[in-house]
Amino acid sequence: MDDLLKQRLLSNTFVDRVRNQMEIDEAAYQELIEILTNLSDELKSQKVIDKELALTLYSVPQIIRNVYLTYEEHNGKATEFGNKLEDIWIDLDAMVLECLIDTSS
């Protein structure tokens, strides 16, 4: 497994900026998408996944989901930001599942 991909994932600021500043950093999001795509390809040949990597992968869409639910709860109506968070959450969840499912086969 390529440790560079793991380090890139761990240092990506997208999730932290959404969680802490309620900002969607498009550049960091695109980098995260690229990392997840590469990880999915890389993990296809792996039978075991690093625990820290697995925890991080599992946490990414969950954190975005929680921010989305909290945001919607406080704002009560659909907004552009809320809709974008929901789309990001769904996309990240699907990409992470691809990474994790590939390793189980």
Side-chain angles (χ1 to χ4, degrees):
M1 212 307 290
D2 187 358
D3 281 335
L4 179 59
L5 284 174
K6 177 182 169 185
Q7 291 308 314
R8 285 181 63 202
L9 178 64
L10 294 174
S11 66
N12 184 277
T13 60
F14 176 75
V15 173
D16 289 334
R17 290 194 64 178
V18 170
R19 180 179 49 200
N20 297 327
Q21 300 164 355
M22 298 296 279
E23 293 178 0
I24 295 174
D25 180 341
E26 288 294 332
Y29 179 60
Q30 291 307 315
E31 180 186 16
L32 180 58
I33 296 296
E34 177 187 329
I35 293 165
L36 292 173
T37 301
N38 291 337
L39 269 173
S40 177
D41 291 340
E42 183 84 22
L43 292 172
K44 285 179 183 176
S45 63
Q46 303 293 316
K47 293 289 183 191
V48 178
I49 186 170
D50 176 86
K51 287 180 185 179
E52 183 181 28
L53 177 60
L55 176 63
T56 302
L57 287 171
Y58 177 77
S59 299
V60 165
Q62 294 300 316
I63 292 168
I64 300 300
R65 175 185 176 270
N66 290 342
V67 171
Y68 163 72
L69 292 175
T70 302
Y71 180 82
E72 287 296 301
E73 181 179 302
H74 288 287
N75 290 295
K77 61 180 180 177
T79 65
E80 184 178 343
F81 183 76
N83 291 337
K84 188 153 186 140
L85 275 178
E86 183 178 28
D87 291 343
I88 289 170
W89 156 42
I90 292 167
D91 290 344
L92 290 177
D93 193 51
M95 295 188 80
V96 166
L97 279 174
E98 256 185 64
C99 290
L100 297 175
I101 289 173
D102 287 340
T103 60
S104 65
S105 27

